[in-house]
Amino acid sequence: MRRRLLALVCVSASLLTGCGVMSDSAADRRTVTVWLMQHSASQDFLDRFTAEFEREHETLDLDIRIQEWTGIGEKVQRALRGRDPDGPDVIEVGNTQVSAYAESDGLLDLTLESMRDWGRDDWLPGLAEPGRWGSQQYGIPWYAANRVVVYRKDLFRAAGVTPPRTREEWLDVTERLDTGDTQGVYLAGQDWYTLAGFIWEEGGELATERDGVWKGALDSEAALRGMDFYRRLQQLGDGPVDADEEHPPQAGVFADGKVAQIVAVPGLVRAILQQNPGLEDKIGYFPVPGKEAGRPGAVFTGGSDLVVPANTDAEDGAVEVVAALTGARWNTDLARTMNYVPNKADLAGSVAGEEGLEAMAAGAARGRATPATPRWSVVEADNPIKEYMTEVLTGADPEKEAERAARRITETLAFE
């Protein structure tokens, strides 16, 4: 609205004073305000993008404002509810947050642009699917990151094993590595993101939706098989059964030098090498194995989507910004600059030559996201999945514990 009012003022003034002579001046330029999250893109990338975008769009100026993740949810909701003259026209949001913002009709429907211009069918499913609410596309995939297996090349050589191609081979290899004071794998008992991938690989779900009603699904046969695989793998190391991967941080555990494998994003290796630089030439990566050779296992995909507030008064400019940032040119540039996975599988070649990124990109093709309901964040806050995992790993009956956890998820998702 602020820019429309400016245009009306100028038109009125031109009739009286000749203001119209400013038609080629700054009065005709429009500003697109973009909220991006801290550390998502380097300043060099943003400077290059801004300069090129403004050169190619002579009537648009970019105002990129960096936000912190802490408290961002409420800040975004406020921006969507009431138009601030300095409010955002494009916002970066976590891929699993889109449904919470779309539910209140706060986002612009970008389905047409997605299908007609942006190749929606080619996006990574772990970014594209949570960007939808109903049949409409609100979140446009920007970048992705997912877990791979980070391993010690020297320990694999000493054991006479190579990176496995299937999950059963993975168990065999890990058992051979789990000897003496070396853990075959360090897998914390409550690493539920990794469990989610195993469940999806079996054809199961964390929760299912029918006619608008969500129900927990950990008690399905497929989900139980996923949990059983997790149990078999987890016992080939000494990961704590009652804590997640951050308690203690698994980077530190791996850096101690007595762990053959962890499941983590490649970026975690930076923290490992800070604590133990001697491992620099000893670390390798491979995708989380699937049930079939030649096809990586399903994994949780994290990352960001770009959204446009429905109350923007710079809709055309905002759409142009989204198109540019998520298009092949700048998306691959961002991936190379920040060590991300591009938003389309056919762009994976842009990170060729980087072992960790290649492994991550291969897995991203089988990426998934958490259930697309605004209530899922409440499930995560209470997180019955973690408790369920600990109970099973300490000998409780898997079916009974799965039924209990699924019931708690159903109750949480149904609460209004």
Side-chain angles (χ1 to χ4, degrees):
M1 183 62 70
R2 63 190 184 277
R3 295 147 197 151
R4 290 174 182 163
L5 288 174
L6 176 62
L8 288 172
V9 168
C10 184
V11 168
S12 299
S14 68
L15 295 175
L16 298 174
T17 66
C19 175
V21 298
M22 299 175 60
S23 61
D24 293 327
S25 71
D28 281 330
R29 298 189 65 84
R30 306 189 73 184
T31 298
V32 181
T33 301
V34 182
W35 283 7
L36 299 181
M37 302 309 300
Q38 190 175 33
H39 306 310
S40 288
S42 68
Q43 190 59 51
D44 175 68
F45 173 88
L46 295 178
D47 289 344
R48 287 187 288 108
F49 174 77
T50 298
E52 189 65 16
F53 182 87
E54 291 182 347
R55 186 186 68 79
E56 295 177 350
H57 301 78
E58 296 181 353
T59 62
L60 296 177
D61 290 323
L62 288 187
D63 179 9
I64 297 178
R65 303 183 182 185
I66 304 303
Q67 311 294 316
E68 295 184 359
W69 283 107
T70 302
I72 190 60
E74 179 55 32
K75 188 172 184 178
V76 171
Q77 291 286 16
R78 287 197 302 270
L80 299 181
R81 286 195 295 265
R83 187 62 192 174
D84 184 324
D86 293 321
D89 302 300
V90 177
I91 309 174
E92 175 194 351
V93 300
N95 62 320
T96 61
Q97 298 173 337
V98 177
S99 61
Y101 302 136
E103 181 188 33
S104 59
D105 297 325
L107 301 180
L108 189 68
D109 182 357
L110 298 170
T111 306
L112 176 60
E113 292 85 353
S114 300
M115 299 178 66
R116 183 188 62 197
D117 305 322
W118 298 340
R120 184 174 78 164
D121 292 342
D122 299 324
W123 288 334
L124 296 175
L127 292 180
E129 291 172 1
R132 295 174 193 147
W133 179 247
S135 60
Q136 278 70 50
Q137 190 79 42
Y138 295 96
I140 308 304
W142 193 23
Y143 65 82
N146 52 267
R147 287 161 174 75
V148 302
V149 183
V150 180
Y151 76 101
R152 286 278 300 276
K153 294 179 178 180
D154 56 329
L155 296 181
F156 269 55
R157 283 194 299 268
V161 297
T162 57
R165 299 171 300 165
T166 67
R167 293 205 315 184
E168 288 304 315
E169 287 182 10
W170 194 15
L171 288 174
D172 292 340
V173 164
T174 304
E175 186 172 9
R176 293 176 62 178
L177 291 162
D178 190 41
T179 179
D181 61 355
T182 298
Q183 298 182 57
V185 63
Y186 178 84
L187 185 61
Q190 295 183 349
D191 186 352
W192 73 275
Y193 282 122
T194 295
L195 170 64
F198 296 166
I199 289 174
W200 293 327
E201 181 67 10
E202 290 288 349
E205 301 288 347
L206 302 177
T208 58
E209 182 267 338
R210 183 175 181 179
D211 297 329
V213 177
W214 284 90
K215 295 183 61 177
L218 292 177
D219 53 345
S220 72
E221 292 185 6
L224 286 167
R225 290 196 300 270
M227 182 65 226
D228 186 62
F229 179 81
Y230 191 100
R231 178 190 61 79
R232 295 166 65 193
L233 184 66
Q234 196 272 342
Q235 68 184 7
L236 298 176
D238 300 324
V241 297
D242 58 351
D244 61 27
E245 65 275 18
E246 290 300 322
H247 300 89
Q250 62 178 346
V253 178
F254 192 87
D256 284 343
K258 296 181 180 180
V259 172
Q261 307 170 89
I262 56 174
V263 182
V265 294
L268 189 72
V269 171
R270 288 192 294 270
I272 294 172
L273 296 179
Q274 286 176 353
Q275 298 174 66
N276 188 348
L279 294 179
E280 184 165 6
D281 296 326
K282 299 177 181 180
I283 293 178
Y285 313 81
F286 58 86
V288 172
K291 296 180 70 174
E292 302 174 6
R295 191 178 81 156
V299 290
F300 170 76
T301 298
S304 285
D305 284 10
L306 299 179
V307 299
V308 176
N311 60 13
T312 179
D313 58 1
E315 179 177 326
D316 291 345
V319 169
E320 289 293 326
V321 171
V322 172
L325 282 173
T326 62
R329 175 187 175 187
W330 289 105
N331 199 244
T332 55
D333 189 320
L334 181 72
R336 288 191 298 267
T337 300
M338 301 300 296
N339 294 334
Y340 293 145
V341 175
N343 60 11
K344 294 181 179 179
D346 62 5
L347 298 178
S350 66
V351 296
E354 297 286 342
E355 185 182 358
L357 292 180
E358 287 183 341
M360 189 163 60
R366 304 278 332 280
R368 295 278 304 275
T370 50
T373 163
R375 295 287 303 172
W376 188 257
S377 61
V378 184
V379 173
E380 290 190 23
D382 180 47
N383 218 323
I385 304 175
K386 288 185 173 183
E387 296 177 23
Y388 158 62
M389 296 171 73
T390 295
E391 291 297 328
V392 173
L393 294 176
T394 52
D397 182 87
E399 292 188 9
K400 290 183 179 179
E401 295 303 324
E403 289 174 0
R404 181 179 292 112
R407 184 167 56 251
R408 285 179 58 190
I409 291 173
T410 298
E411 293 170 352
T412 302
L413 294 179
F415 180 78
E416 295 294 343

